[in-house]
Amino acid sequence: MAETIAEAPSYAAVEHVNQPPAQTWNHLRINGCSLRLPSPARKGEVLARLPRIFSQLECGIGDEAVSWVESVAGDARYVEVPQGTRRAEPIVVDVDASGFAVEDTGVMLREGSEATVVVSVRGQGGHSASLLRVIAEAGSRLHLVEVVAPGSGSTHLEGVGIEAAEGARIEVRQYALGGKSLAMGFATKLGGTSSRLQLDCRYVVRDADELDVNHVVRQLGRNSRSDIVTSGFLGERAHKAMRETIDLTHGAKGARGNETETVLMGGDEVVNKTLPVILCDEDDVQGNHGASIGSVSAEQLGYLTDRGLSEEEVNDLFVRAIFDDAAIHAPEASSREAALARAEQLLGPEAARDVAEGLGLSPATTDAREVSA
């Protein structure tokens, strides 16, 4: 359950956020981050907690951040999908970043079940956090879509922890589209034989905003497979830190892990940090990683400027493509609204209207009507 508090009486520094499993030299300043978040006074007892089994899940953001979310969330939401069923309606975690909102959610996918989970973050100027933990039993399938698009001046903390049993399939689409300070942690334990993770992450960071990401995949199951594909745009004076760790543990024979990142830089004062890591404690495994960093080539820029586009408009084309992708893959109204509202802030009303019309939505209304298949 979301809780909104009019005034936060004090702030607390949440330390050791997004620490990677294998740390590097401290002078690189990529071994984690800290956030200043409200610590509102609270009376009474916590109304509800998730089943204790969820406390065992690693969430990428670190134990201190998890404890902070649990302590201020108040209520926790628990959803269970019965064995062998396919839930048609998405499980939606809708976070209002215009005030102070904290969500703590647990989802249990029973054996052979299937469900879509959506995390939508929208609004601006406030402090917010979301903690999502999912247990996927044998043969289940999870579709997770995160559209994290708080507006200017917002601080948001996002944590996701997933545990996959034998034959479970995890498909994740992450869109980090805004916020003055955005920290996202993601951890998956592929504990079962032939369990799978496909993670696609896209981001846009502009002005002097900061994005901090920590992806961790623990592969314990034989013949498990993980693929992490990340791409994004950094403009003006943006700061971004990306940590991607695949841990091929002892006993995970036949496991395969791949991670790649492509970064497009659109400003001379951009700060970009990428830490791809493969950990290995098994001989019969395969791990690959790589990163590609660059800007629009002089030939591409010349071709487009000759046709009447400014350099800023050229960069906006790449940003627009990310928002198009987010809006197309948003499975319900709140996540589409989040993407379109942020697109309007960064690209202007006309670009947001074009994205909406491309989805078959009226320029004036983007909330109620579902996109036809």
Side-chain angles (χ1 to χ4, degrees):
M1 300 290 291
E3 182 169 342
T4 302
I5 298 177
E7 295 184 1
S10 62
Y11 283 78
V14 181
E15 305 286 351
H16 313 299
V17 178
N18 282 354
Q19 284 192 337
Q23 298 188 24
T24 185
W25 302 104
N26 287 325
H27 74 267
L28 296 176
R29 297 183 180 180
I30 196 172
N31 283 328
C33 68
S34 63
L35 293 175
R36 282 184 58 81
L37 295 167
S39 53
R42 187 175 302 282
K43 297 180 180 180
E45 297 181 355
V46 172
L47 299 178
R49 288 291 193 196
L50 295 176
R52 185 171 298 180
I53 190 173
F54 285 96
S55 65
Q56 303 173 11
L57 271 62
E58 181 181 8
C59 297
I61 54 176
D63 293 340
E64 187 173 334
V66 169
S67 297
W68 179 86
V69 171
E70 291 179 334
S71 67
V72 301
D75 248 349
R77 178 187 179 196
Y78 173 69
V79 181
E80 182 171 321
V81 182
Q83 178 178 348
T85 62
R86 181 181 182 276
R87 181 181 171 118
E89 180 183 358
I91 301 166
V92 181
V93 180
D94 193 359
V95 182
D96 181 4
S98 60
F100 178 64
V102 179
E103 295 277 356
D104 184 9
T105 307
V107 177
M108 177 72 74
L109 297 182
R110 292 300 184 184
E111 184 175 350
S113 64
E114 182 176 356
T116 297
V117 179
V118 180
V119 179
S120 172
V121 184
R122 48 185 172 161
Q124 65 178 2
H127 296 79
S128 57
S130 173
L131 179 60
L132 171 67
R133 287 169 280 192
V134 182
I135 296 176
E137 293 187 345
S140 62
R141 188 163 186 173
L142 169 67
H143 309 275
L144 172 61
V145 180
E146 297 174 81
V147 180
V148 184
S152 303
S154 302
T155 298
H156 181 74
L157 173 64
E158 179 90 3
V160 175
I162 301 172
E163 182 174 311
E166 180 179 355
R169 300 288 190 271
I170 312 298
E171 299 174 2
V172 181
R173 287 187 175 273
Q174 286 184 327
Y175 299 94
L177 305 178
K180 178 182 178 181
S181 182
L182 173 57
M184 299 179 67
F186 177 93
T188 295
K189 176 183 176 182
L190 298 178
T193 301
S194 299
S195 51
R196 298 285 188 271
L197 168 68
Q198 175 67 51
L199 170 60
D200 294 296
C201 175
R202 306 195 72 180
Y203 57 83
V204 174
V205 193
R206 305 194 71 165
D207 301 321
D209 293 344
E210 298 180 359
L211 172 65
D212 195 282
V213 180
N214 188 36
H215 291 147
V216 180
V217 182
R218 310 278 191 182
Q219 295 189 226
L220 288 74
R222 289 173 173 260
N223 299 315
S224 57
R225 175 69 181 261
S226 66
D227 292 283
I228 304 175
V229 180
T230 307
S231 63
F233 176 85
L234 305 177
E236 293 83 45
R237 293 170 290 129
H239 287 237
K240 186 225 73 179
M242 176 72 66
R243 308 169 194 84
E244 295 184 329
T245 303
I246 294 177
D247 186 5
L248 302 166
T249 64
H250 185 73
K253 291 187 177 296
R256 302 289 184 268
N258 301 290
E259 56 187 28
T260 60
E261 183 187 11
T262 303
V263 185
L264 180 64
M265 302 175 68
D268 295 332
E269 299 181 64
V270 164
V271 176
N272 176 67
K273 299 178 182 180
T274 299
L275 182 65
V277 175
I278 301 289
L279 303 176
C280 185
D281 189 28
E282 181 58 70
D283 54 359
D284 183 20
V285 294
Q286 179 178 317
N288 303 288
H289 66 74
S292 175
I293 303 171
S295 57
V296 181
S297 68
E299 293 78 8
Q300 290 173 317
L301 186 59
Y303 177 85
L304 293 169
T305 53
D306 286 346
R307 282 151 181 80
L309 295 177
S310 67
E311 185 173 353
E312 181 180 359
E313 290 172 329
V314 171
N315 286 331
D316 285 348
L317 288 176
F318 291 96
V319 175
R320 161 72 185 273
I322 295 175
F323 279 97
D324 278 335
D325 191 63
I328 288 171
H329 290 98
E332 48 73 61
S334 67
S335 50
R336 283 197 305 274
E337 290 174 19
L340 293 172
R342 186 58 176 161
E344 183 171 349
Q345 288 181 347
L346 290 183
L347 302 175
E350 184 176 349
R353 183 167 56 249
D354 289 344
V355 174
E357 290 178 344
L359 293 172
L361 300 172
S362 166
T365 59
T366 61
D367 54 350
R369 188 151 56 89
E370 293 291 328
V371 178
S372 59

